[in-house]
Amino acid sequence: MKTWRVLDLIQWTTDYFKRHGIPSPRLDAELLLSHVLGTSRLQLYLRFEMPVFPEHLSTFRELIKKRTANVPVSYLTSRKEFFSLEFYVDSRVLIPRPETEVLVENVLQVQEAPCQLIDIGTGSGAIAISLAANRPEWEILATDISAEALEVAQKNAVVHQCADRLTFQQGNLFEPLETLPESRFDWIVSNPPYVSTKEYPFLPPDVRDHEPETALLAGTDGLDVIVDILEGAPRFLKSGGRVGLEIGHNHCQDVLEIVQSNSAYSGCQVITDYSGIERVVIAAVG
Ligand code: GLN
């Protein structure tokens, strides 16, 4: 029987993924193999010559099969790095994206004093937990329509030791706030669903067929949830409070119009992501 070394496996799998149209074949091969071997990608590089045991080979083979069926790597390894923290993820939540780090970064930059913040549609908890980890004195509430997603977020809060500083509430948009006695915040942040029904069928199959539809889809132009948040937010913000939202690649103009036509808002800032796309808006109430 052929002895497979780490490097042979990486090369074989990269080639196999390439033939199956997987967009980042080498990276995915490395991530999956390091996951199976319980090691880091760096360690993999230091052990190129090491033979791989048959039991690891069969686990690896299963993962290769799933990856070529377009299951995202993060669901296969149950992890995704976001804002330099490692998050547990599974198919109950959207996999955190690097674009969303732009939102977190800007909230941290703009807000200096301790504050009260709500993260609507927290999913894996990526936004709320990275803020809590960087600002232990902030009071943070994280909500989601999906009870399943909140289980994942809670797990991540425990891992990152901020479970005692975060409150989780299940419910749609502002619904959880209706029952709270003091519901005025300095910040309302969200990475809401914003994919249009037109674009949804053309999303990469990893996303379209495996990530939760409720975390992605938002009506014919993808603006349904963004509009609801911008309309509802002023009622729950303190004077001078802000809404920080991630938006879709073609939403900026519409979002600016929505904010400018609402007299509760006094201003709006737009921030581009690493690809130069207008990705985050921060709107302040007067
Ligand atoms: N950026 C995500 C995607 O391209 C969408 C995330 C969202 O809808 N909030 O799949």
Side-chain angles (χ1 to χ4, degrees):
M1 203 169 76
K2 176 178 162 72
T3 305
W4 285 90
R5 297 169 313 145
V6 166
L7 185 60
D8 304 329
L9 274 179
I10 292 176
Q11 284 170 342
W12 185 91
T13 311
T14 302
D15 192 46
Y16 186 77
F17 281 166
K18 246 185 228 164
R19 280 186 277 123
H20 282 79
I22 301 295
S24 43
R26 168 96 187 196
L27 175 65
D28 288 8
E30 290 177 5
L31 287 170
L32 292 177
L33 187 57
S34 51
H35 174 68
V36 169
L37 300 179
T39 180
S40 66
R41 261 177 80 215
L42 175 67
Q43 286 298 322
L44 218 55
Y45 273 75
L46 302 174
R47 296 179 194 168
F48 272 163
E49 300 302 322
M50 201 179 75
V52 177
F53 294 124
E55 64 265 32
H56 284 146
L57 279 180
S58 56
T59 315
F60 188 51
R61 202 173 296 127
E62 285 309 305
L63 294 182
I64 292 174
K65 221 187 277 169
K66 289 185 182 155
R67 184 66 194 108
T68 47
N70 297 311
V71 179
V73 171
S74 292
Y75 289 159
L76 296 174
T77 61
S78 308
R79 69 181 90 162
K80 176 71 183 181
E81 193 188 299
F82 179 84
F83 217 70
S84 303
L85 297 172
E86 191 172 281
F87 283 85
Y88 168 84
V89 291
D90 62 31
S91 58
R92 291 175 287 181
V93 294
L94 188 84
I95 300 164
R97 316 279 205 259
E99 303 91 274
T100 310
E101 294 178 343
V102 176
L103 174 58
V104 173
E105 229 165 57
N106 277 276
V107 174
L108 289 174
Q109 229 167 59
V110 173
Q111 181 66 36
E112 279 171 10
C115 72
Q116 291 174 308
L117 176 145
I118 172 171
D119 173 20
I120 295 181
T122 197
S124 64
I127 298 175
I129 292 167
S130 12
L131 290 171
N134 284 279
R135 295 287 187 272
E137 66 285 8
W138 291 10
E139 230 175 273
I140 299 178
L141 171 66
T143 70
D144 207 290
I145 193 170
S146 156
E148 282 191 320
L150 285 179
E151 287 170 23
V152 175
Q154 268 160 330
K155 186 177 164 119
N156 279 315
V158 172
V159 171
H160 295 296
Q161 297 172 337
C162 45
D164 53 334
R165 290 181 278 120
L166 275 165
T167 310
F168 294 97
Q169 291 266 341
Q170 191 264 330
N172 189 28
L173 298 173
F174 299 100
E175 213 175 71
L177 299 184
E178 307 288 353
T179 54
L180 291 178
E182 176 44 65
S183 342
R184 292 268 175 178
F185 296 84
D186 302 281
W187 278 93
I188 293 174
V189 298
S190 181
N191 171 21
Y194 57 65
V195 176
S196 69
T197 41
K198 250 181 278 148
E199 285 175 308
Y200 191 74
F202 302 103
L203 288 179
D206 296 37
V207 181
R208 184 194 60 213
D209 301 340
H210 296 278
E211 298 201 73
E213 198 182 289
T214 32
L216 290 161
L217 250 187
T220 48
D221 50 13
L223 281 167
D224 285 12
V225 182
I226 290 175
V227 167
D228 286 348
I229 293 178
L230 285 170
E231 271 176 10
R235 192 153 79 83
F236 298 101
L237 283 171
K238 297 176 192 170
S239 164
R242 291 181 172 90
V243 191
L245 287 183
E246 180 171 329
I247 60 170
H249 64 96
N250 52 2
H251 285 151
C252 188
Q253 217 38 51
D254 290 320
V255 169
L256 285 178
E257 274 164 35
I258 295 163
V259 172
Q260 279 154 8
S261 64
N262 186 330
S263 60
Y265 292 104
S266 54
C268 189
Q269 186 194 352
V270 180
I271 302 136
T272 51
D273 66 17
Y274 314 114
S275 331
I277 295 169
E278 291 153 328
R279 182 62 69 190
V280 168
V281 288
I282 294 182
V285 295

